[in-house]
C-alpha cells in the first residue's frame, strides 16, 4: 500500500486494490527498496512580510525531502513548507493579525540523490493546496530511469493497521535513511476520502506503506 502523508497527518487514499495480495516485505527489505527514491531537496525561499507600514523580505534555504514518483524525475513533496497559506489560515482562524501579510516564494530547487553528491536543478511543476502536495520536475531528464515509488498495489486497509514510511536524517548525519512506523487512526470523507495517520511529522509529504 503506497499512500501519502499530508498536512494534519492525513493520508491520501490514492492506492487501489490489486488482484493478487502482494507479499509483505520485512522492514529491512522496505528500507532497501524505497530509500533510493527518497531524495533530499535544497529549496531557496524568498519570504515577504509586512513590518509595520513597510514590507520586508528575506531569503532562506530549506532542507526538504521528497519522493520520486516517476522514473523520469517527477518528485512529490509536502506543499506547506513552500507556502505560507496554512500559516495565514491559522492566523485568520484566531481572529488576529488581520493586517499581517506574509508571502513565501520558492526561487530555486536543487535535488540530491543517495550516493550522488551532485545537485540537480528542478522546477515547481504543480501544487495542490487542498491535498497539500507539490510536484517538482528535474530540468534535465536522467540518463537512467530513477528508482521511484510505485502506487496502485494495495490490500484493504483497516483502522489500527501499522504503516511504515522511509525518511532521511539531516545532512549532519549524511542523510542516512531510516524507517518510521505509524498507525491508521481514523477516516475522513471531506474534502477527499482519506485516512487519519498517527505518525511522526517527519513523514509529511512522503509515501507510507
Amino acid at each position: 500500500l503506497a499512500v501519502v502523508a499530508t498536512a494534519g497527518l492525513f493520508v491520501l487514499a490514492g492506492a487501489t486494490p490489486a488482484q493478487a495480495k502482494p507479499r509483505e516485505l520485512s522492514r529491512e527489505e522496505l528500507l532497501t527498496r524505497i530509500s533510493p527514491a527518497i531524495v533530499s531537496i535544497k529549496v531557496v525561499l524568498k519570504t515577504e512580510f509586512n513590518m509595520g507600514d513597510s514590507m520586508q523580505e528575506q531569503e532562506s534555504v530549506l532542507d526538504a525531502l521528497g519522493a520520486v514518483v516517476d522514473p523520469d524525475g517527477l518528485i512529490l513533496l509536502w506543499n506547506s513548507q513552500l507556502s505560507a497559506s496554512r500559516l495565514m489560515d491559522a492566523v485568520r482562524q484566531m481572529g488576529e493579525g488581520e493586517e499581517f501579510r506574509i508571502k513565501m516564494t520558492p526561487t530555486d530547487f536543487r535535488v540530491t540523490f543517495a550516493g550522488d553528491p551532485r545537485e540537480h536543478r528542478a522546477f515547481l511543476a504543480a501544487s495542490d493546496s487542498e491535498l497539500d502536495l507539490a510536484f517538482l520536475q528535474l530540468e534535465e531528464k536522467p540518463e537512467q530511469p530513477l528508482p521511484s515509488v510505485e502506487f496502485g498495489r494495495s490490500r484493504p486497509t483497516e483502522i489500527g493497521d501499522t504503516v511504515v514510511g522511509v525518511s532521511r536524517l539531516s545532512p549532519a548525519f549524511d542523510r542516512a535513511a531510516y524507517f518510521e512506523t505509524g498507525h491508521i487512526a481514523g477516516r475522513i470523507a471531506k474534502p477527499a476520502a482519506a485516512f487519519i495517520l498517527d505518525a511522526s511529522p517527519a513523514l509529511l509529504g512522503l509515501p507510507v506503506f
Side-chain angles (χ1 to χ4, degrees), residues 6-8 45 62 77-87 89 104 127-134 204-205:
T6 63
L45 284 174
L62 168 72
L77 70 161
W78 184 33
N79 186 60
S80 272
Q81 57 196 327
L82 310 179
S83 168
S85 60
R86 291 189 180 271
L87 173 60
D89 286 345
M104 293 165 53
S127 62
D128 188 319
S129 57
E130 275 199 8
L131 296 178
D132 206 11
L133 298 174
L204 287 172

PDB file of all heavy atoms in Angstrom, residues 6-8 45 62 77-87 89 104 127-134 204-205:
ATOM      1  N   THR A   6       0.059  13.827   4.437  1.00  0.00           N
ATOM      2  CA  THR A   6      -0.029  15.247   4.137  1.00  0.00           C
ATOM      3  C   THR A   6      -0.343  16.017   5.409  1.00  0.00           C
ATOM      4  O   THR A   6      -0.328  15.475   6.497  1.00  0.00           O
ATOM      5  CB  THR A   6      -1.089  15.526   3.058  1.00  0.00           C
ATOM      6  OG1 THR A   6      -2.369  15.142   3.554  1.00  0.00           O
ATOM      7  CG2 THR A   6      -0.801  14.737   1.794  1.00  0.00           C
ATOM      8  N   ALA A   7      -0.627  17.315   5.276  1.00  0.00           N
ATOM      9  CA  ALA A   7      -0.817  18.168   6.442  1.00  0.00           C
ATOM     10  C   ALA A   7      -1.939  17.641   7.332  1.00  0.00           C
ATOM     11  O   ALA A   7      -2.915  17.089   6.871  1.00  0.00           O
ATOM     12  CB  ALA A   7      -1.139  19.594   5.998  1.00  0.00           C
ATOM     13  N   GLY A   8      -1.797  17.861   8.633  1.00  0.00           N
ATOM     14  CA  GLY A   8      -2.791  17.374   9.568  1.00  0.00           C
ATOM     15  C   GLY A   8      -2.672  15.885   9.817  1.00  0.00           C
ATOM     16  O   GLY A   8      -3.547  15.268  10.408  1.00  0.00           O
ATOM     17  N   LEU A  45      14.040  29.974  -0.509  1.00  0.00           N
ATOM     18  CA  LEU A  45      12.747  30.617  -0.312  1.00  0.00           C
ATOM     19  C   LEU A  45      12.923  32.120  -0.139  1.00  0.00           C
ATOM     20  O   LEU A  45      13.768  32.577   0.648  1.00  0.00           O
ATOM     21  CB  LEU A  45      12.062  30.067   0.937  1.00  0.00           C
ATOM     22  CG  LEU A  45      11.419  28.680   0.861  1.00  0.00           C
ATOM     23  CD1 LEU A  45      10.939  28.272   2.248  1.00  0.00           C
ATOM     24  CD2 LEU A  45      10.270  28.664  -0.124  1.00  0.00           C
ATOM     25  N   LEU A  62      15.966  26.022   2.732  1.00  0.00           N
ATOM     26  CA  LEU A  62      15.227  24.964   3.410  1.00  0.00           C
ATOM     27  C   LEU A  62      15.733  23.611   2.935  1.00  0.00           C
ATOM     28  O   LEU A  62      15.888  23.384   1.735  1.00  0.00           O
ATOM     29  CB  LEU A  62      13.737  25.096   3.099  1.00  0.00           C
ATOM     30  CG  LEU A  62      12.822  23.929   3.472  1.00  0.00           C
ATOM     31  CD1 LEU A  62      12.641  23.861   4.986  1.00  0.00           C
ATOM     32  CD2 LEU A  62      11.469  24.058   2.772  1.00  0.00           C
ATOM     33  N   LEU A  77       6.428  16.197  -2.855  1.00  0.00           N
ATOM     34  CA  LEU A  77       6.838  16.708  -1.553  1.00  0.00           C
ATOM     35  C   LEU A  77       5.681  17.451  -0.891  1.00  0.00           C
ATOM     36  O   LEU A  77       4.637  17.683  -1.489  1.00  0.00           O
ATOM     37  CB  LEU A  77       8.080  17.593  -1.643  1.00  0.00           C
ATOM     38  CG  LEU A  77       7.963  18.963  -2.313  1.00  0.00           C
ATOM     39  CD1 LEU A  77       9.136  19.838  -1.874  1.00  0.00           C
ATOM     40  CD2 LEU A  77       7.979  18.856  -3.826  1.00  0.00           C
ATOM     41  N   TRP A  78       5.898  17.822   0.358  1.00  0.00           N
ATOM     42  CA  TRP A  78       4.893  18.495   1.194  1.00  0.00           C
ATOM     43  C   TRP A  78       4.804  19.954   0.795  1.00  0.00           C
ATOM     44  O   TRP A  78       5.793  20.696   0.854  1.00  0.00           O
ATOM     45  CB  TRP A  78       5.298  18.331   2.654  1.00  0.00           C
ATOM     46  CG  TRP A  78       4.337  18.875   3.649  1.00  0.00           C
ATOM     47  CD1 TRP A  78       2.985  18.926   3.561  1.00  0.00           C
ATOM     48  CD2 TRP A  78       4.662  19.420   4.935  1.00  0.00           C
ATOM     49  NE1 TRP A  78       2.430  19.478   4.697  1.00  0.00           N
ATOM     50  CE2 TRP A  78       3.449  19.787   5.553  1.00  0.00           C
ATOM     51  CE3 TRP A  78       5.851  19.633   5.611  1.00  0.00           C
ATOM     52  CZ2 TRP A  78       3.401  20.360   6.821  1.00  0.00           C
ATOM     53  CZ3 TRP A  78       5.805  20.195   6.883  1.00  0.00           C
ATOM     54  CH2 TRP A  78       4.588  20.545   7.466  1.00  0.00           C
ATOM     55  N   ASN A  79       3.630  20.415   0.401  1.00  0.00           N
ATOM     56  CA  ASN A  79       3.465  21.771  -0.117  1.00  0.00           C
ATOM     57  C   ASN A  79       3.571  22.848   0.959  1.00  0.00           C
ATOM     58  O   ASN A  79       4.028  23.963   0.683  1.00  0.00           O
ATOM     59  CB  ASN A  79       2.117  21.892  -0.834  1.00  0.00           C
ATOM     60  CG  ASN A  79       1.936  23.223  -1.520  1.00  0.00           C
ATOM     61  OD1 ASN A  79       2.707  23.588  -2.402  1.00  0.00           O
ATOM     62  ND2 ASN A  79       0.925  23.977  -1.116  1.00  0.00           N
ATOM     63  N   SER A  80       3.142  22.563   2.193  1.00  0.00           N
ATOM     64  CA  SER A  80       3.094  23.603   3.222  1.00  0.00           C
ATOM     65  C   SER A  80       4.453  24.237   3.511  1.00  0.00           C
ATOM     66  O   SER A  80       4.527  25.392   3.923  1.00  0.00           O
ATOM     67  CB  SER A  80       2.512  23.040   4.524  1.00  0.00           C
ATOM     68  OG  SER A  80       1.106  23.155   4.529  1.00  0.00           O
ATOM     69  N   GLN A  81       5.525  23.480   3.317  1.00  0.00           N
ATOM     70  CA  GLN A  81       6.842  24.057   3.588  1.00  0.00           C
ATOM     71  C   GLN A  81       7.265  25.054   2.522  1.00  0.00           C
ATOM     72  O   GLN A  81       8.225  25.798   2.710  1.00  0.00           O
ATOM     73  CB  GLN A  81       7.885  22.947   3.726  1.00  0.00           C
ATOM     74  CG  GLN A  81       7.988  22.050   2.518  1.00  0.00           C
ATOM     75  CD  GLN A  81       8.712  20.761   2.816  1.00  0.00           C
ATOM     76  OE1 GLN A  81       9.628  20.708   3.642  1.00  0.00           O
ATOM     77  NE2 GLN A  81       8.325  19.688   2.159  1.00  0.00           N
ATOM     78  N   LEU A  82       6.518  25.104   1.416  1.00  0.00           N
ATOM     79  CA  LEU A  82       6.827  26.044   0.331  1.00  0.00           C
ATOM     80  C   LEU A  82       5.879  27.225   0.297  1.00  0.00           C
ATOM     81  O   LEU A  82       6.076  28.148  -0.486  1.00  0.00           O
ATOM     82  CB  LEU A  82       6.749  25.332  -1.027  1.00  0.00           C
ATOM     83  CG  LEU A  82       7.505  24.018  -1.183  1.00  0.00           C
ATOM     84  CD1 LEU A  82       7.273  23.464  -2.584  1.00  0.00           C
ATOM     85  CD2 LEU A  82       8.983  24.208  -0.909  1.00  0.00           C
ATOM     86  N   SER A  83       4.842  27.208   1.130  1.00  0.00           N
ATOM     87  CA  SER A  83       3.790  28.217   1.052  1.00  0.00           C
ATOM     88  C   SER A  83       3.389  28.665   2.453  1.00  0.00           C
ATOM     89  O   SER A  83       3.421  27.878   3.406  1.00  0.00           O
ATOM     90  CB  SER A  83       2.578  27.646   0.319  1.00  0.00           C
ATOM     91  OG  SER A  83       1.457  28.484   0.452  1.00  0.00           O
ATOM     92  N   ALA A  84       2.980  29.931   2.565  1.00  0.00           N
ATOM     93  CA  ALA A  84       2.541  30.472   3.846  1.00  0.00           C
ATOM     94  C   ALA A  84       1.025  30.408   3.998  1.00  0.00           C
ATOM     95  O   ALA A  84       0.480  30.939   4.960  1.00  0.00           O
ATOM     96  CB  ALA A  84       3.007  31.918   3.991  1.00  0.00           C
ATOM     97  N   SER A  85       0.332  29.739   3.081  1.00  0.00           N
ATOM     98  CA  SER A  85      -1.132  29.777   3.088  1.00  0.00           C
ATOM     99  C   SER A  85      -1.716  29.172   4.358  1.00  0.00           C
ATOM    100  O   SER A  85      -2.677  29.705   4.927  1.00  0.00           O
ATOM    101  CB  SER A  85      -1.692  29.061   1.856  1.00  0.00           C
ATOM    102  OG  SER A  85      -1.283  27.711   1.839  1.00  0.00           O
ATOM    103  N   ARG A  86      -1.184  28.078   4.836  1.00  0.00           N
ATOM    104  CA  ARG A  86      -1.737  27.453   6.046  1.00  0.00           C
ATOM    105  C   ARG A  86      -1.431  28.281   7.289  1.00  0.00           C
ATOM    106  O   ARG A  86      -2.220  28.315   8.224  1.00  0.00           O
ATOM    107  CB  ARG A  86      -1.228  26.019   6.185  1.00  0.00           C
ATOM    108  CG  ARG A  86      -1.813  25.108   5.113  1.00  0.00           C
ATOM    109  CD  ARG A  86      -1.509  23.651   5.348  1.00  0.00           C
ATOM    110  NE  ARG A  86      -2.088  22.843   4.286  1.00  0.00           N
ATOM    111  CZ  ARG A  86      -3.317  22.343   4.315  1.00  0.00           C
ATOM    112  NH1 ARG A  86      -4.096  22.559   5.356  1.00  0.00           N
ATOM    113  NH2 ARG A  86      -3.776  21.616   3.317  1.00  0.00           N
ATOM    114  N   LEU A  87      -0.274  28.938   7.306  1.00  0.00           N
ATOM    115  CA  LEU A  87       0.029  29.840   8.409  1.00  0.00           C
ATOM    116  C   LEU A  87      -0.966  30.986   8.438  1.00  0.00           C
ATOM    117  O   LEU A  87      -1.494  31.346   9.505  1.00  0.00           O
ATOM    118  CB  LEU A  87       1.458  30.367   8.276  1.00  0.00           C
ATOM    119  CG  LEU A  87       1.886  31.467   9.263  1.00  0.00           C
ATOM    120  CD1 LEU A  87       1.788  30.970  10.701  1.00  0.00           C
ATOM    121  CD2 LEU A  87       3.285  31.947   8.949  1.00  0.00           C
ATOM    122  N   ASP A  89      -3.992  30.937   7.199  1.00  0.00           N
ATOM    123  CA  ASP A  89      -5.292  30.380   7.598  1.00  0.00           C
ATOM    124  C   ASP A  89      -5.391  30.298   9.119  1.00  0.00           C
ATOM    125  O   ASP A  89      -6.435  30.622   9.707  1.00  0.00           O
ATOM    126  CB  ASP A  89      -5.487  28.989   6.988  1.00  0.00           C
ATOM    127  CG  ASP A  89      -5.777  29.051   5.495  1.00  0.00           C
ATOM    128  OD1 ASP A  89      -6.111  30.148   5.010  1.00  0.00           O
ATOM    129  OD2 ASP A  89      -5.655  28.006   4.833  1.00  0.00           O
ATOM    130  N   MET A 104       5.500  33.494   0.753  1.00  0.00           N
ATOM    131  CA  MET A 104       6.710  32.709   0.544  1.00  0.00           C
ATOM    132  C   MET A 104       6.755  32.247  -0.906  1.00  0.00           C
ATOM    133  O   MET A 104       5.792  31.679  -1.413  1.00  0.00           O
ATOM    134  CB  MET A 104       6.736  31.504   1.495  1.00  0.00           C
ATOM    135  CG  MET A 104       6.882  31.889   2.948  1.00  0.00           C
ATOM    136  SD  MET A 104       6.481  30.535   4.105  1.00  0.00           S
ATOM    137  CE  MET A 104       7.534  29.233   3.490  1.00  0.00           C
ATOM    138  N   SER A 127       1.187  22.237  -7.838  1.00  0.00           N
ATOM    139  CA  SER A 127       0.935  22.191  -6.397  1.00  0.00           C
ATOM    140  C   SER A 127      -0.568  22.106  -6.183  1.00  0.00           C
ATOM    141  O   SER A 127      -1.349  22.557  -7.013  1.00  0.00           O
ATOM    142  CB  SER A 127       1.518  23.410  -5.678  1.00  0.00           C
ATOM    143  OG  SER A 127       0.914  24.602  -6.130  1.00  0.00           O
ATOM    144  N   ASP A 128      -0.963  21.504  -5.066  1.00  0.00           N
ATOM    145  CA  ASP A 128      -2.373  21.336  -4.719  1.00  0.00           C
ATOM    146  C   ASP A 128      -2.522  21.723  -3.255  1.00  0.00           C
ATOM    147  O   ASP A 128      -2.101  20.980  -2.368  1.00  0.00           O
ATOM    148  CB  ASP A 128      -2.813  19.894  -4.952  1.00  0.00           C
ATOM    149  CG  ASP A 128      -4.319  19.702  -4.790  1.00  0.00           C
ATOM    150  OD1 ASP A 128      -4.893  20.291  -3.857  1.00  0.00           O
ATOM    151  OD2 ASP A 128      -4.912  18.961  -5.596  1.00  0.00           O
ATOM    152  N   SER A 129      -3.114  22.907  -3.005  1.00  0.00           N
ATOM    153  CA  SER A 129      -3.218  23.391  -1.636  1.00  0.00           C
ATOM    154  C   SER A 129      -4.205  22.573  -0.809  1.00  0.00           C
ATOM    155  O   SER A 129      -4.056  22.452   0.409  1.00  0.00           O
ATOM    156  CB  SER A 129      -3.612  24.870  -1.621  1.00  0.00           C
ATOM    157  OG  SER A 129      -4.843  25.067  -2.316  1.00  0.00           O
ATOM    158  N   GLU A 130      -5.241  21.993  -1.455  1.00  0.00           N
ATOM    159  CA  GLU A 130      -6.199  21.183  -0.708  1.00  0.00           C
ATOM    160  C   GLU A 130      -5.573  19.891  -0.199  1.00  0.00           C
ATOM    161  O   GLU A 130      -5.742  19.502   0.948  1.00  0.00           O
ATOM    162  CB  GLU A 130      -7.419  20.859  -1.583  1.00  0.00           C
ATOM    163  CG  GLU A 130      -8.479  21.938  -1.570  1.00  0.00           C
ATOM    164  CD  GLU A 130      -9.828  21.421  -2.050  1.00  0.00           C
ATOM    165  OE1 GLU A 130      -9.969  20.196  -2.244  1.00  0.00           O
ATOM    166  OE2 GLU A 130     -10.726  22.250  -2.235  1.00  0.00           O
ATOM    167  N   LEU A 131      -4.857  19.210  -1.075  1.00  0.00           N
ATOM    168  CA  LEU A 131      -4.183  17.976  -0.676  1.00  0.00           C
ATOM    169  C   LEU A 131      -2.837  18.256  -0.022  1.00  0.00           C
ATOM    170  O   LEU A 131      -2.220  17.349   0.531  1.00  0.00           O
ATOM    171  CB  LEU A 131      -3.994  17.061  -1.890  1.00  0.00           C
ATOM    172  CG  LEU A 131      -5.274  16.549  -2.545  1.00  0.00           C
ATOM    173  CD1 LEU A 131      -4.937  15.691  -3.759  1.00  0.00           C
ATOM    174  CD2 LEU A 131      -6.124  15.773  -1.557  1.00  0.00           C
ATOM    175  N   ASP A 132      -2.375  19.500  -0.119  1.00  0.00           N
ATOM    176  CA  ASP A 132      -1.108  19.939   0.478  1.00  0.00           C
ATOM    177  C   ASP A 132       0.084  19.180  -0.104  1.00  0.00           C
ATOM    178  O   ASP A 132       0.998  18.790   0.608  1.00  0.00           O
ATOM    179  CB  ASP A 132      -1.147  19.782   2.000  1.00  0.00           C
ATOM    180  CG  ASP A 132      -0.206  20.755   2.685  1.00  0.00           C
ATOM    181  OD1 ASP A 132       0.307  21.670   2.016  1.00  0.00           O
ATOM    182  OD2 ASP A 132       0.036  20.598   3.899  1.00  0.00           O
ATOM    183  N   LEU A 133       0.063  18.990  -1.405  1.00  0.00           N
ATOM    184  CA  LEU A 133       1.147  18.312  -2.102  1.00  0.00           C
ATOM    185  C   LEU A 133       1.699  19.208  -3.202  1.00  0.00           C
ATOM    186  O   LEU A 133       0.985  20.034  -3.765  1.00  0.00           O
ATOM    187  CB  LEU A 133       0.648  17.009  -2.731  1.00  0.00           C
ATOM    188  CG  LEU A 133       0.117  15.948  -1.772  1.00  0.00           C
ATOM    189  CD1 LEU A 133      -0.465  14.777  -2.551  1.00  0.00           C
ATOM    190  CD2 LEU A 133       1.203  15.479  -0.818  1.00  0.00           C
ATOM    191  N   ALA A 134       2.984  19.045  -3.488  1.00  0.00           N
ATOM    192  CA  ALA A 134       3.626  19.750  -4.592  1.00  0.00           C
ATOM    193  C   ALA A 134       4.440  18.748  -5.398  1.00  0.00           C
ATOM    194  O   ALA A 134       4.822  17.683  -4.893  1.00  0.00           O
ATOM    195  CB  ALA A 134       4.527  20.868  -4.068  1.00  0.00           C
ATOM    196  N   LEU A 204       5.547  13.721   6.695  1.00  0.00           N
ATOM    197  CA  LEU A 204       4.643  14.587   5.943  1.00  0.00           C
ATOM    198  C   LEU A 204       5.127  14.738   4.493  1.00  0.00           C
ATOM    199  O   LEU A 204       6.272  15.082   4.244  1.00  0.00           O
ATOM    200  CB  LEU A 204       4.521  15.951   6.606  1.00  0.00           C
ATOM    201  CG  LEU A 204       3.712  15.985   7.904  1.00  0.00           C
ATOM    202  CD1 LEU A 204       3.820  17.339   8.570  1.00  0.00           C
ATOM    203  CD2 LEU A 204       2.250  15.647   7.633  1.00  0.00           C
ATOM    204  N   GLY A 205       4.229  14.486   3.558  1.00  0.00           N
ATOM    205  CA  GLY A 205       4.556  14.608   2.155  1.00  0.00           C
ATOM    206  C   GLY A 205       5.246  13.392   1.561  1.00  0.00           C
ATOM    207  O   GLY A 205       5.544  13.377   0.367  1.00  0.00           O
TER     208      GLY A 205
END
